[in-house]
Amino acid sequence: MTAVLDTPVYGSTAPVTCPRDPHAYVSADQWSKLVGLLMRDYPFDSVMAERVLGQAVAYVITAMENKGRRLGMGPGRIVDIGVHTIMLDTKAYFALCEKYNGGEYLHHVPLVEMKGDGSVARTAELLAHAGWDVDTPLWAADSSQCTPCRPGEDGH
């Protein structure tokens, strides 16, 4: 997937050429725990849980890196499952916020209705531009329904 953005990603003016590894942002123990939670709470096998978690980590880290830019990022329903799983382990999530978001909590601000504004597809493009390997089927599966994230938010 090639992405071209009107607004460059924080700290960058060009796409990153080497894919970023979501495992580098979460300890091995925490990664295993999150995969286990996804498998426990959703009908995911280990492969699907790993895919969802990897995209969720990419989303959360990119949202943190773009704090204050009000890009209107939002995951689709499938990636959102992984984002919620990360956030529900509050101690580990806050440690992630401490390390990658300047000690500030990245809040969750959902709407009841879904936005059909193309923000999910734009978010996937932003992740690609930020150097992540985007799992296109996970983003495309529900991008037409879009996201319940509030417009203009920095993250989730």
Side-chain angles (χ1 to χ4, degrees):
M1 169 182 217
T2 302
V4 178
L5 298 175
D6 295 332
T7 309
V9 174
Y10 176 78
S12 173
T13 56
V16 179
T17 56
C18 296
R20 295 166 76 178
D21 182 3
H23 290 88
Y25 296 86
V26 179
S27 73
D29 289 341
Q30 185 64 16
W31 185 275
S32 293
K33 179 181 180 182
L34 291 168
V35 167
L37 290 170
L38 285 165
M39 290 170 43
R40 180 194 75 187
D41 295 340
Y42 299 94
F44 297 156
D45 61 15
S46 61
V47 173
M48 183 63 163
E50 293 262 349
R51 290 174 61 198
V52 169
L53 182 57
Q55 296 301 286
V57 169
Y59 172 82
V60 168
I61 295 299
T62 302
M64 290 177 180
E65 291 173 346
N66 286 281
K67 179 174 60 178
R69 297 194 63 210
R70 302 181 61 83
L71 297 177
M73 293 175 61
R77 291 178 192 251
I78 296 172
V79 176
D80 200 36
I81 290 169
V83 172
H84 287 188
T85 300
I86 292 168
M87 292 178 135
L88 286 173
D89 190 346
T90 58
K91 287 182 98 173
Y93 178 63
F94 191 73
L96 199 66
C97 292
E98 283 281 319
K99 187 170 184 177
Y100 298 106
N101 201 40
E104 294 181 32
Y105 191 80
L106 179 66
H107 290 280
H108 181 267
V109 188
L111 296 172
V112 173
E113 64 278 357
M114 299 295 276
K115 298 182 310 193
D117 64 355
S119 57
V120 173
R122 284 193 310 276
T123 299
E125 289 176 4
L126 177 63
L127 296 184
H129 190 79
W132 301 99
D133 188 12
V134 173
D135 190 335
T136 303
L138 293 185
W139 290 88
D142 52 15
S143 65
S144 64
Q145 297 169 339
C146 280
T147 180
C149 295
R150 190 167 73 183
E153 288 298 319
D154 283 338
H156 195 62

PDB file of all heavy atoms in Angstrom, residues 102-138:
ATOM      1  N   GLY A 102       4.337  11.093  26.359  1.00  0.00           N
ATOM      2  CA  GLY A 102       4.764  12.143  27.277  1.00  0.00           C
ATOM      3  C   GLY A 102       4.078  12.094  28.628  1.00  0.00           C
ATOM      4  O   GLY A 102       3.899  13.123  29.276  1.00  0.00           O
ATOM      5  N   GLY A 103       3.675  10.897  29.059  1.00  0.00           N
ATOM      6  CA  GLY A 103       3.042  10.748  30.354  1.00  0.00           C
ATOM      7  C   GLY A 103       1.567  11.102  30.366  1.00  0.00           C
ATOM      8  O   GLY A 103       0.922  11.018  31.407  1.00  0.00           O
ATOM      9  N   GLU A 104       1.023  11.487  29.227  1.00  0.00           N
ATOM     10  CA  GLU A 104      -0.400  11.834  29.152  1.00  0.00           C
ATOM     11  C   GLU A 104      -1.200  10.633  28.673  1.00  0.00           C
ATOM     12  O   GLU A 104      -0.781   9.909  27.779  1.00  0.00           O
ATOM     13  CB  GLU A 104      -0.616  12.994  28.176  1.00  0.00           C
ATOM     14  CG  GLU A 104       0.000  14.292  28.640  1.00  0.00           C
ATOM     15  CD  GLU A 104      -0.256  15.413  27.645  1.00  0.00           C
ATOM     16  OE1 GLU A 104      -1.317  15.409  26.975  1.00  0.00           O
ATOM     17  OE2 GLU A 104       0.612  16.276  27.528  1.00  0.00           O
ATOM     18  N   TYR A 105      -2.357  10.485  29.261  1.00  0.00           N
ATOM     19  CA  TYR A 105      -3.261   9.402  28.888  1.00  0.00           C
ATOM     20  C   TYR A 105      -3.898   9.716  27.547  1.00  0.00           C
ATOM     21  O   TYR A 105      -4.380  10.826  27.326  1.00  0.00           O
ATOM     22  CB  TYR A 105      -4.336   9.283  29.970  1.00  0.00           C
ATOM     23  CG  TYR A 105      -5.186   8.051  29.875  1.00  0.00           C
ATOM     24  CD1 TYR A 105      -4.709   6.842  30.361  1.00  0.00           C
ATOM     25  CD2 TYR A 105      -6.453   8.100  29.338  1.00  0.00           C
ATOM     26  CE1 TYR A 105      -5.489   5.698  30.290  1.00  0.00           C
ATOM     27  CE2 TYR A 105      -7.236   6.964  29.266  1.00  0.00           C
ATOM     28  CZ  TYR A 105      -6.751   5.765  29.751  1.00  0.00           C
ATOM     29  OH  TYR A 105      -7.520   4.648  29.678  1.00  0.00           O
ATOM     30  N   LEU A 106      -3.874   8.777  26.616  1.00  0.00           N
ATOM     31  CA  LEU A 106      -4.577   8.921  25.338  1.00  0.00           C
ATOM     32  C   LEU A 106      -6.002   8.462  25.575  1.00  0.00           C
ATOM     33  O   LEU A 106      -6.263   7.284  25.779  1.00  0.00           O
ATOM     34  CB  LEU A 106      -3.919   8.080  24.246  1.00  0.00           C
ATOM     35  CG  LEU A 106      -4.582   8.140  22.868  1.00  0.00           C
ATOM     36  CD1 LEU A 106      -4.469   9.536  22.273  1.00  0.00           C
ATOM     37  CD2 LEU A 106      -3.957   7.112  21.936  1.00  0.00           C
ATOM     38  N   HIS A 107      -6.921   9.401  25.602  1.00  0.00           N
ATOM     39  CA  HIS A 107      -8.298   9.106  25.970  1.00  0.00           C
ATOM     40  C   HIS A 107      -9.079   8.418  24.873  1.00  0.00           C
ATOM     41  O   HIS A 107      -8.755   8.510  23.694  1.00  0.00           O
ATOM     42  CB  HIS A 107      -9.023  10.397  26.374  1.00  0.00           C
ATOM     43  CG  HIS A 107      -8.525  10.940  27.662  1.00  0.00           C
ATOM     44  ND1 HIS A 107      -8.930  10.439  28.872  1.00  0.00           N
ATOM     45  CD2 HIS A 107      -7.628  11.918  27.931  1.00  0.00           C
ATOM     46  CE1 HIS A 107      -8.306  11.092  29.837  1.00  0.00           C
ATOM     47  NE2 HIS A 107      -7.506  11.989  29.288  1.00  0.00           N
ATOM     48  N   HIS A 108     -10.136   7.772  25.283  1.00  0.00           N
ATOM     49  CA  HIS A 108     -11.080   7.113  24.388  1.00  0.00           C
ATOM     50  C   HIS A 108     -12.351   7.956  24.392  1.00  0.00           C
ATOM     51  O   HIS A 108     -12.957   8.151  25.438  1.00  0.00           O
ATOM     52  CB  HIS A 108     -11.360   5.705  24.922  1.00  0.00           C
ATOM     53  CG  HIS A 108     -12.297   4.922  24.073  1.00  0.00           C
ATOM     54  ND1 HIS A 108     -13.646   4.889  24.303  1.00  0.00           N
ATOM     55  CD2 HIS A 108     -12.084   4.137  22.996  1.00  0.00           C
ATOM     56  CE1 HIS A 108     -14.224   4.106  23.421  1.00  0.00           C
ATOM     57  NE2 HIS A 108     -13.295   3.641  22.613  1.00  0.00           N
ATOM     58  N   VAL A 109     -12.733   8.489  23.233  1.00  0.00           N
ATOM     59  CA  VAL A 109     -13.885   9.383  23.138  1.00  0.00           C
ATOM     60  C   VAL A 109     -14.788   8.898  21.999  1.00  0.00           C
ATOM     61  O   VAL A 109     -14.759   9.437  20.896  1.00  0.00           O
ATOM     62  CB  VAL A 109     -13.439  10.849  22.892  1.00  0.00           C
ATOM     63  CG1 VAL A 109     -14.634  11.784  22.992  1.00  0.00           C
ATOM     64  CG2 VAL A 109     -12.351  11.265  23.875  1.00  0.00           C
ATOM     65  N   PRO A 110     -15.615   7.871  22.264  1.00  0.00           N
ATOM     66  CA  PRO A 110     -16.461   7.333  21.193  1.00  0.00           C
ATOM     67  C   PRO A 110     -17.757   8.117  21.018  1.00  0.00           C
ATOM     68  O   PRO A 110     -18.225   8.796  21.924  1.00  0.00           O
ATOM     69  CB  PRO A 110     -16.765   5.921  21.683  1.00  0.00           C
ATOM     70  CG  PRO A 110     -16.782   6.059  23.175  1.00  0.00           C
ATOM     71  CD  PRO A 110     -15.716   7.092  23.488  1.00  0.00           C
ATOM     72  N   LEU A 111     -18.303   8.005  19.840  1.00  0.00           N
ATOM     73  CA  LEU A 111     -19.652   8.473  19.544  1.00  0.00           C
ATOM     74  C   LEU A 111     -20.562   7.248  19.496  1.00  0.00           C
ATOM     75  O   LEU A 111     -20.087   6.126  19.322  1.00  0.00           O
ATOM     76  CB  LEU A 111     -19.693   9.163  18.176  1.00  0.00           C
ATOM     77  CG  LEU A 111     -18.879  10.435  18.002  1.00  0.00           C
ATOM     78  CD1 LEU A 111     -18.895  10.860  16.541  1.00  0.00           C
ATOM     79  CD2 LEU A 111     -19.425  11.540  18.883  1.00  0.00           C
ATOM     80  N   VAL A 112     -21.854   7.457  19.606  1.00  0.00           N
ATOM     81  CA  VAL A 112     -22.781   6.343  19.472  1.00  0.00           C
ATOM     82  C   VAL A 112     -22.927   5.968  18.002  1.00  0.00           C
ATOM     83  O   VAL A 112     -22.865   4.801  17.631  1.00  0.00           O
ATOM     84  CB  VAL A 112     -24.156   6.692  20.091  1.00  0.00           C
ATOM     85  CG1 VAL A 112     -25.169   5.595  19.791  1.00  0.00           C
ATOM     86  CG2 VAL A 112     -24.010   6.903  21.586  1.00  0.00           C
ATOM     87  N   GLU A 113     -23.081   6.969  17.149  1.00  0.00           N
ATOM     88  CA  GLU A 113     -23.248   6.697  15.724  1.00  0.00           C
ATOM     89  C   GLU A 113     -21.888   6.498  15.051  1.00  0.00           C
ATOM     90  O   GLU A 113     -20.869   6.975  15.526  1.00  0.00           O
ATOM     91  CB  GLU A 113     -24.018   7.833  15.036  1.00  0.00           C
ATOM     92  CG  GLU A 113     -23.314   9.172  15.047  1.00  0.00           C
ATOM     93  CD  GLU A 113     -23.474   9.988  16.335  1.00  0.00           C
ATOM     94  OE1 GLU A 113     -24.190   9.570  17.249  1.00  0.00           O
ATOM     95  OE2 GLU A 113     -22.830  11.050  16.415  1.00  0.00           O
ATOM     96  N   MET A 114     -21.932   5.775  13.950  1.00  0.00           N
ATOM     97  CA  MET A 114     -20.718   5.550  13.174  1.00  0.00           C
ATOM     98  C   MET A 114     -20.571   6.670  12.153  1.00  0.00           C
ATOM     99  O   MET A 114     -21.566   7.131  11.597  1.00  0.00           O
ATOM    100  CB  MET A 114     -20.792   4.204  12.445  1.00  0.00           C
ATOM    101  CG  MET A 114     -20.929   3.006  13.371  1.00  0.00           C
ATOM    102  SD  MET A 114     -19.489   2.752  14.415  1.00  0.00           S
ATOM    103  CE  MET A 114     -18.465   1.827  13.304  1.00  0.00           C
ATOM    104  N   LYS A 115     -19.344   7.115  11.932  1.00  0.00           N
ATOM    105  CA  LYS A 115     -19.070   8.132  10.917  1.00  0.00           C
ATOM    106  C   LYS A 115     -18.773   7.424   9.601  1.00  0.00           C
ATOM    107  O   LYS A 115     -17.970   6.516   9.565  1.00  0.00           O
ATOM    108  CB  LYS A 115     -17.844   8.967  11.284  1.00  0.00           C
ATOM    109  CG  LYS A 115     -17.960   9.750  12.560  1.00  0.00           C
ATOM    110  CD  LYS A 115     -16.711  10.577  12.798  1.00  0.00           C
ATOM    111  CE  LYS A 115     -15.462   9.761  12.656  1.00  0.00           C
ATOM    112  NZ  LYS A 115     -14.256  10.325  13.123  1.00  0.00           N
ATOM    113  N   GLY A 116     -19.370   7.866   8.550  1.00  0.00           N
ATOM    114  CA  GLY A 116     -19.082   7.321   7.229  1.00  0.00           C
ATOM    115  C   GLY A 116     -18.284   8.327   6.428  1.00  0.00           C
ATOM    116  O   GLY A 116     -18.675   8.694   5.338  1.00  0.00           O
ATOM    117  N   ASP A 117     -17.174   8.779   6.992  1.00  0.00           N
ATOM    118  CA  ASP A 117     -16.427   9.891   6.403  1.00  0.00           C
ATOM    119  C   ASP A 117     -15.086   9.509   5.790  1.00  0.00           C
ATOM    120  O   ASP A 117     -14.300  10.374   5.428  1.00  0.00           O
ATOM    121  CB  ASP A 117     -16.210  10.976   7.452  1.00  0.00           C
ATOM    122  CG  ASP A 117     -15.347  10.505   8.619  1.00  0.00           C
ATOM    123  OD1 ASP A 117     -14.985   9.307   8.660  1.00  0.00           O
ATOM    124  OD2 ASP A 117     -15.038  11.331   9.489  1.00  0.00           O
ATOM    125  N   GLY A 118     -14.808   8.220   5.677  1.00  0.00           N
ATOM    126  CA  GLY A 118     -13.541   7.786   5.096  1.00  0.00           C
ATOM    127  C   GLY A 118     -12.366   7.810   6.053  1.00  0.00           C
ATOM    128  O   GLY A 118     -11.229   7.573   5.656  1.00  0.00           O
ATOM    129  N   SER A 119     -12.611   8.079   7.335  1.00  0.00           N
ATOM    130  CA  SER A 119     -11.506   8.213   8.283  1.00  0.00           C
ATOM    131  C   SER A 119     -10.751   6.914   8.520  1.00  0.00           C
ATOM    132  O   SER A 119      -9.547   6.936   8.792  1.00  0.00           O
ATOM    133  CB  SER A 119     -11.995   8.794   9.616  1.00  0.00           C
ATOM    134  OG  SER A 119     -13.018   8.010  10.170  1.00  0.00           O
ATOM    135  N   VAL A 120     -11.411   5.764   8.394  1.00  0.00           N
ATOM    136  CA  VAL A 120     -10.715   4.495   8.593  1.00  0.00           C
ATOM    137  C   VAL A 120      -9.679   4.287   7.483  1.00  0.00           C
ATOM    138  O   VAL A 120      -8.521   3.958   7.759  1.00  0.00           O
ATOM    139  CB  VAL A 120     -11.705   3.311   8.665  1.00  0.00           C
ATOM    140  CG1 VAL A 120     -10.964   1.978   8.703  1.00  0.00           C
ATOM    141  CG2 VAL A 120     -12.598   3.444   9.886  1.00  0.00           C
ATOM    142  N   ALA A 121     -10.071   4.517   6.248  1.00  0.00           N
ATOM    143  CA  ALA A 121      -9.133   4.369   5.125  1.00  0.00           C
ATOM    144  C   ALA A 121      -7.996   5.381   5.240  1.00  0.00           C
ATOM    145  O   ALA A 121      -6.833   5.042   4.994  1.00  0.00           O
ATOM    146  CB  ALA A 121      -9.860   4.530   3.799  1.00  0.00           C
ATOM    147  N   ARG A 122      -8.314   6.601   5.641  1.00  0.00           N
ATOM    148  CA  ARG A 122      -7.261   7.620   5.808  1.00  0.00           C
ATOM    149  C   ARG A 122      -6.315   7.250   6.948  1.00  0.00           C
ATOM    150  O   ARG A 122      -5.111   7.487   6.867  1.00  0.00           O
ATOM    151  CB  ARG A 122      -7.878   9.000   6.058  1.00  0.00           C
ATOM    152  CG  ARG A 122      -8.446   9.636   4.808  1.00  0.00           C
ATOM    153  CD  ARG A 122      -8.766  11.112   5.007  1.00  0.00           C
ATOM    154  NE  ARG A 122      -9.557  11.406   6.199  1.00  0.00           N
ATOM    155  CZ  ARG A 122     -10.882  11.325   6.275  1.00  0.00           C
ATOM    156  NH1 ARG A 122     -11.584  10.939   5.217  1.00  0.00           N
ATOM    157  NH2 ARG A 122     -11.510  11.626   7.393  1.00  0.00           N
ATOM    158  N   THR A 123      -6.849   6.648   7.991  1.00  0.00           N
ATOM    159  CA  THR A 123      -6.002   6.219   9.108  1.00  0.00           C
ATOM    160  C   THR A 123      -5.044   5.125   8.663  1.00  0.00           C
ATOM    161  O   THR A 123      -3.864   5.150   9.013  1.00  0.00           O
ATOM    162  CB  THR A 123      -6.872   5.752  10.289  1.00  0.00           C
ATOM    163  OG1 THR A 123      -7.678   6.853  10.728  1.00  0.00           O
ATOM    164  CG2 THR A 123      -6.019   5.261  11.441  1.00  0.00           C
ATOM    165  N   ALA A 124      -5.527   4.165   7.878  1.00  0.00           N
ATOM    166  CA  ALA A 124      -4.645   3.112   7.365  1.00  0.00           C
ATOM    167  C   ALA A 124      -3.530   3.722   6.515  1.00  0.00           C
ATOM    168  O   ALA A 124      -2.371   3.303   6.600  1.00  0.00           O
ATOM    169  CB  ALA A 124      -5.449   2.093   6.557  1.00  0.00           C
ATOM    170  N   GLU A 125      -3.854   4.726   5.715  1.00  0.00           N
ATOM    171  CA  GLU A 125      -2.833   5.408   4.917  1.00  0.00           C
ATOM    172  C   GLU A 125      -1.827   6.126   5.818  1.00  0.00           C
ATOM    173  O   GLU A 125      -0.620   6.115   5.551  1.00  0.00           O
ATOM    174  CB  GLU A 125      -3.481   6.411   3.973  1.00  0.00           C
ATOM    175  CG  GLU A 125      -4.252   5.767   2.844  1.00  0.00           C
ATOM    176  CD  GLU A 125      -4.963   6.782   1.959  1.00  0.00           C
ATOM    177  OE1 GLU A 125      -4.793   7.996   2.175  1.00  0.00           O
ATOM    178  OE2 GLU A 125      -5.683   6.342   1.053  1.00  0.00           O
ATOM    179  N   LEU A 126      -2.309   6.730   6.876  1.00  0.00           N
ATOM    180  CA  LEU A 126      -1.424   7.410   7.825  1.00  0.00           C
ATOM    181  C   LEU A 126      -0.468   6.415   8.480  1.00  0.00           C
ATOM    182  O   LEU A 126       0.724   6.690   8.621  1.00  0.00           O
ATOM    183  CB  LEU A 126      -2.254   8.133   8.888  1.00  0.00           C
ATOM    184  CG  LEU A 126      -1.479   8.841   9.989  1.00  0.00           C
ATOM    185  CD1 LEU A 126      -0.609   9.955   9.417  1.00  0.00           C
ATOM    186  CD2 LEU A 126      -2.434   9.411  11.022  1.00  0.00           C
ATOM    187  N   LEU A 127      -0.976   5.244   8.849  1.00  0.00           N
ATOM    188  CA  LEU A 127      -0.111   4.220   9.443  1.00  0.00           C
ATOM    189  C   LEU A 127       0.962   3.779   8.457  1.00  0.00           C
ATOM    190  O   LEU A 127       2.129   3.620   8.827  1.00  0.00           O
ATOM    191  CB  LEU A 127      -0.927   3.013   9.898  1.00  0.00           C
ATOM    192  CG  LEU A 127      -1.948   3.226  11.012  1.00  0.00           C
ATOM    193  CD1 LEU A 127      -2.590   1.905  11.394  1.00  0.00           C
ATOM    194  CD2 LEU A 127      -1.352   3.903  12.212  1.00  0.00           C
ATOM    195  N   ALA A 128       0.583   3.579   7.219  1.00  0.00           N
ATOM    196  CA  ALA A 128       1.558   3.188   6.195  1.00  0.00           C
ATOM    197  C   ALA A 128       2.613   4.274   6.038  1.00  0.00           C
ATOM    198  O   ALA A 128       3.812   3.979   5.953  1.00  0.00           O
ATOM    199  CB  ALA A 128       0.862   2.916   4.867  1.00  0.00           C
ATOM    200  N   HIS A 129       2.192   5.522   6.019  1.00  0.00           N
ATOM    201  CA  HIS A 129       3.124   6.636   5.880  1.00  0.00           C
ATOM    202  C   HIS A 129       4.060   6.728   7.088  1.00  0.00           C
ATOM    203  O   HIS A 129       5.210   7.138   6.950  1.00  0.00           O
ATOM    204  CB  HIS A 129       2.346   7.940   5.701  1.00  0.00           C
ATOM    205  CG  HIS A 129       3.201   9.096   5.310  1.00  0.00           C
ATOM    206  ND1 HIS A 129       3.632   9.279   4.016  1.00  0.00           N
ATOM    207  CD2 HIS A 129       3.709  10.118   6.031  1.00  0.00           C
ATOM    208  CE1 HIS A 129       4.377  10.377   3.963  1.00  0.00           C
ATOM    209  NE2 HIS A 129       4.428  10.897   5.170  1.00  0.00           N
ATOM    210  N   ALA A 130       3.557   6.311   8.245  1.00  0.00           N
ATOM    211  CA  ALA A 130       4.364   6.338   9.472  1.00  0.00           C
ATOM    212  C   ALA A 130       5.304   5.141   9.562  1.00  0.00           C
ATOM    213  O   ALA A 130       6.060   5.019  10.525  1.00  0.00           O
ATOM    214  CB  ALA A 130       3.444   6.374  10.693  1.00  0.00           C
ATOM    215  N   GLY A 131       5.251   4.253   8.572  1.00  0.00           N
ATOM    216  CA  GLY A 131       6.220   3.164   8.516  1.00  0.00           C
ATOM    217  C   GLY A 131       5.724   1.810   8.975  1.00  0.00           C
ATOM    218  O   GLY A 131       6.498   0.871   9.069  1.00  0.00           O
ATOM    219  N   TRP A 132       4.437   1.694   9.246  1.00  0.00           N
ATOM    220  CA  TRP A 132       3.887   0.411   9.671  1.00  0.00           C
ATOM    221  C   TRP A 132       3.486  -0.421   8.463  1.00  0.00           C
ATOM    222  O   TRP A 132       3.070   0.118   7.457  1.00  0.00           O
ATOM    223  CB  TRP A 132       2.661   0.634  10.554  1.00  0.00           C
ATOM    224  CG  TRP A 132       2.919   1.445  11.778  1.00  0.00           C
ATOM    225  CD1 TRP A 132       2.662   2.772  11.931  1.00  0.00           C
ATOM    226  CD2 TRP A 132       3.483   1.000  13.008  1.00  0.00           C
ATOM    227  NE1 TRP A 132       3.031   3.173  13.182  1.00  0.00           N
ATOM    228  CE2 TRP A 132       3.545   2.106  13.864  1.00  0.00           C
ATOM    229  CE3 TRP A 132       3.954  -0.234  13.460  1.00  0.00           C
ATOM    230  CZ2 TRP A 132       4.044   2.026  15.161  1.00  0.00           C
ATOM    231  CZ3 TRP A 132       4.453  -0.317  14.752  1.00  0.00           C
ATOM    232  CH2 TRP A 132       4.496   0.796  15.589  1.00  0.00           C
ATOM    233  N   ASP A 133       3.580  -1.721   8.623  1.00  0.00           N
ATOM    234  CA  ASP A 133       3.074  -2.649   7.618  1.00  0.00           C
ATOM    235  C   ASP A 133       1.572  -2.781   7.866  1.00  0.00           C
ATOM    236  O   ASP A 133       1.150  -3.358   8.865  1.00  0.00           O
ATOM    237  CB  ASP A 133       3.781  -3.998   7.758  1.00  0.00           C
ATOM    238  CG  ASP A 133       3.451  -4.957   6.646  1.00  0.00           C
ATOM    239  OD1 ASP A 133       2.853  -4.531   5.630  1.00  0.00           O
ATOM    240  OD2 ASP A 133       3.784  -6.145   6.792  1.00  0.00           O
ATOM    241  N   VAL A 134       0.771  -2.209   7.005  1.00  0.00           N
ATOM    242  CA  VAL A 134      -0.677  -2.186   7.186  1.00  0.00           C
ATOM    243  C   VAL A 134      -1.282  -3.498   6.697  1.00  0.00           C
ATOM    244  O   VAL A 134      -1.037  -3.917   5.569  1.00  0.00           O
ATOM    245  CB  VAL A 134      -1.293  -0.976   6.446  1.00  0.00           C
ATOM    246  CG1 VAL A 134      -2.812  -1.028   6.474  1.00  0.00           C
ATOM    247  CG2 VAL A 134      -0.787   0.323   7.055  1.00  0.00           C
ATOM    248  N   ASP A 135      -2.078  -4.116   7.557  1.00  0.00           N
ATOM    249  CA  ASP A 135      -2.800  -5.345   7.230  1.00  0.00           C
ATOM    250  C   ASP A 135      -4.103  -4.910   6.557  1.00  0.00           C
ATOM    251  O   ASP A 135      -5.145  -4.778   7.191  1.00  0.00           O
ATOM    252  CB  ASP A 135      -3.055  -6.132   8.512  1.00  0.00           C
ATOM    253  CG  ASP A 135      -3.589  -7.525   8.266  1.00  0.00           C
ATOM    254  OD1 ASP A 135      -4.212  -7.756   7.204  1.00  0.00           O
ATOM    255  OD2 ASP A 135      -3.402  -8.380   9.154  1.00  0.00           O
ATOM    256  N   THR A 136      -4.025  -4.676   5.263  1.00  0.00           N
ATOM    257  CA  THR A 136      -5.124  -4.078   4.501  1.00  0.00           C
ATOM    258  C   THR A 136      -6.470  -4.769   4.696  1.00  0.00           C
ATOM    259  O   THR A 136      -7.479  -4.081   4.873  1.00  0.00           O
ATOM    260  CB  THR A 136      -4.747  -4.000   3.011  1.00  0.00           C
ATOM    261  OG1 THR A 136      -3.525  -3.257   2.898  1.00  0.00           O
ATOM    262  CG2 THR A 136      -5.825  -3.309   2.204  1.00  0.00           C
ATOM    263  N   PRO A 137      -6.543  -6.098   4.689  1.00  0.00           N
ATOM    264  CA  PRO A 137      -7.861  -6.719   4.882  1.00  0.00           C
ATOM    265  C   PRO A 137      -8.537  -6.346   6.205  1.00  0.00           C
ATOM    266  O   PRO A 137      -9.751  -6.217   6.271  1.00  0.00           O
ATOM    267  CB  PRO A 137      -7.567  -8.218   4.819  1.00  0.00           C
ATOM    268  CG  PRO A 137      -6.322  -8.319   3.996  1.00  0.00           C
ATOM    269  CD  PRO A 137      -5.517  -7.095   4.367  1.00  0.00           C
ATOM    270  N   LEU A 138      -7.754  -6.157   7.265  1.00  0.00           N
ATOM    271  CA  LEU A 138      -8.353  -5.776   8.548  1.00  0.00           C
ATOM    272  C   LEU A 138      -8.941  -4.372   8.500  1.00  0.00           C
ATOM    273  O   LEU A 138      -9.947  -4.093   9.160  1.00  0.00           O
ATOM    274  CB  LEU A 138      -7.331  -5.861   9.684  1.00  0.00           C
ATOM    275  CG  LEU A 138      -6.820  -7.247  10.049  1.00  0.00           C
ATOM    276  CD1 LEU A 138      -5.914  -7.164  11.267  1.00  0.00           C
ATOM    277  CD2 LEU A 138      -7.958  -8.212  10.292  1.00  0.00           C
TER     278      LEU A 138
END
